[in-house]
Amino acid sequence: MRAAKREPVAACATAHDYKLLVARWRAVARSAGLVMKPWLTVSGHRLYLVRSKGRRSGGLYLSAGIHGDEAAGPEAAIRWAERNLKRLRALPCLIFPCLNPWGLIENSRRTQDGRDLNRAFRDNSSEFIARWQALLGRHVFEVALTLHEDYDGQGVYVYEPLVSEPHWGEDLVALARPLLPIEPREVIEGRAARNGVVRVEVDPDEVPDMPEALHLHRQFAKRVFTLETPSEFDLEKRVEVQIRVIDECVRRAGA
């Protein structure tokens, strides 16, 4: 395995500062007239949601930080929000700023008890999953975007369900230019990839380790994308690429 490329100390410290992240989201919520509230406490850390007032149909589902060692996602989500206060006032949305605070602080993919939350969305006995599902209720979002990073990534890529047509994947990946390369691999995690897009054709009922995006696709969103930036590349560029993709998803969703 190749040696990890280390980010500047200041960038790392800020990207993994959960208290600062929460404070920034509080400021956004106040300025944009959004609701921000805790919904669960895990390993001594409160998990927060940020949402529009009321339960309007459509809009955006956005989540980040389910893997705590993928720091660009939480930073990109808050920067996008800080730049788009006016749009957020009118946008139906449900945002999870960081689904794994302990992991973010400790720079760990897993939770304190060693669990990969992104393989646990079939576990209805889990308080985390049960609460998450209850928060989504019967809402169907126009677009759902889950922000991730890949340690082995050589460029930017997205997972997109095959049934979502017309497809957006190639256009979303192209937004990475000229900041980051497009992922050149033709097989990613055992799935065929082409031009940075992995088109997923999966029966959710046959997946034992259900990821967040597939659960969203099955029940809660018309379009679902999992964005992956290469975690060993420059942090600022990774964040900016993710911001561009969030922005384009919101624009295409008509929000």
Side-chain angles (χ1 to χ4, degrees), residues 158-232:
V158 297
Y159 290 92
E160 178 180 25
L162 183 65
V163 297
S164 301
E165 294 183 321
H167 294 134
W168 297 3
E170 286 80 3
D171 291 342
L172 295 180
V173 169
L175 295 169
R177 299 189 180 101
L179 295 173
L180 292 173
I182 307 305
E183 176 61 59
R185 287 178 291 172
E186 296 182 354
V187 178
I188 301 173
E189 299 292 332
R191 299 190 182 278
R194 184 177 181 182
N195 299 323
V197 179
V198 182
R199 291 247 151 72
V200 184
E201 185 177 15
V202 178
D203 181 351
D205 294 329
E206 295 181 357
V207 179
D209 301 325
M210 177 78 75
E212 177 191 12
L214 191 54
H215 199 344
L216 288 163
H217 171 60
R218 181 178 69 169
Q219 188 173 350
F220 295 114
K222 297 178 183 178
R223 289 181 178 274
V224 180
F225 299 95
T226 300
L227 174 63
E228 301 271 2
T229 49
S231 64
E232 302 313 296

Side-chain angles (χ1 to χ4, degrees), residues 69-251:
D69 59 346
E70 300 170 5
E75 181 63 23
I78 184 58
R79 286 198 202 177
W80 178 84
E82 290 167 341
R83 296 177 188 180
N84 288 274
L85 296 175
K86 185 176 180 179
R87 294 174 80 181
L88 279 169
R89 292 187 189 102
L91 172 65
C93 63
L94 177 60
I95 301 170
F96 291 97
C98 181
L99 288 170
N100 182 9
W102 183 89
L104 184 72
I105 294 166
E106 299 296 329
N107 193 31
S108 171
R109 176 184 177 91
R110 298 179 180 271
T111 60
Q112 188 173 22
D113 60 3
R115 194 176 201 193
D116 184 340
L117 287 175
N118 202 40
R119 299 295 182 268
F121 277 78
R122 194 181 292 284
D123 183 7
N124 293 322
S125 66
S126 162
E127 184 180 15
F128 175 93
I129 302 303
R131 292 273 189 97
W132 178 86
Q133 290 191 107
L135 289 169
L136 271 65
R138 296 183 178 180
H139 196 103
V140 177
F141 297 91
E142 198 68 31
V143 61
L145 180 60
T146 66
L147 304 178
H148 283 262
E149 300 203 88
D150 184 349
Y151 176 80
D152 294 314
Q154 300 165 40
V156 177
Y157 65 97
V158 297
Y159 290 92
E160 178 180 25
L162 183 65
V163 297
S164 301
E165 294 183 321
H167 294 134
W168 297 3
E170 286 80 3
D171 291 342
L172 295 180
V173 169
L175 295 169
R177 299 189 180 101
L179 295 173
L180 292 173
I182 307 305
E183 176 61 59
R185 287 178 291 172
E186 296 182 354
V187 178
I188 301 173
E189 299 292 332
R191 299 190 182 278
R194 184 177 181 182
N195 299 323
V197 179
V198 182
R199 291 247 151 72
V200 184
E201 185 177 15
V202 178
D203 181 351
D205 294 329
E206 295 181 357
V207 179
D209 301 325
M210 177 78 75
E212 177 191 12
L214 191 54
H215 199 344
L216 288 163
H217 171 60
R218 181 178 69 169
Q219 188 173 350
F220 295 114
K222 297 178 183 178
R223 289 181 178 274
V224 180
F225 299 95
T226 300
L227 174 63
E228 301 271 2
T229 49
S231 64
E232 302 313 296
F233 286 59
D234 180 79
L235 176 62
E236 288 297 319
K237 292 180 179 179
R238 286 149 43 202
V239 169
E240 188 59 37
V241 166
Q242 295 209 11
I243 290 171
R244 291 182 180 190
V245 173
I246 298 169
D247 206 57
E248 181 66 7
C249 284
V250 171
R251 186 190 70 79

Side-chain angles (χ1 to χ4, degrees), residues 52-66:
S52 50
K53 294 180 179 178
R55 299 294 290 178
R56 292 171 286 168
S57 62
L60 172 72
Y61 173 99
L62 179 65
S63 74
I66 197 168

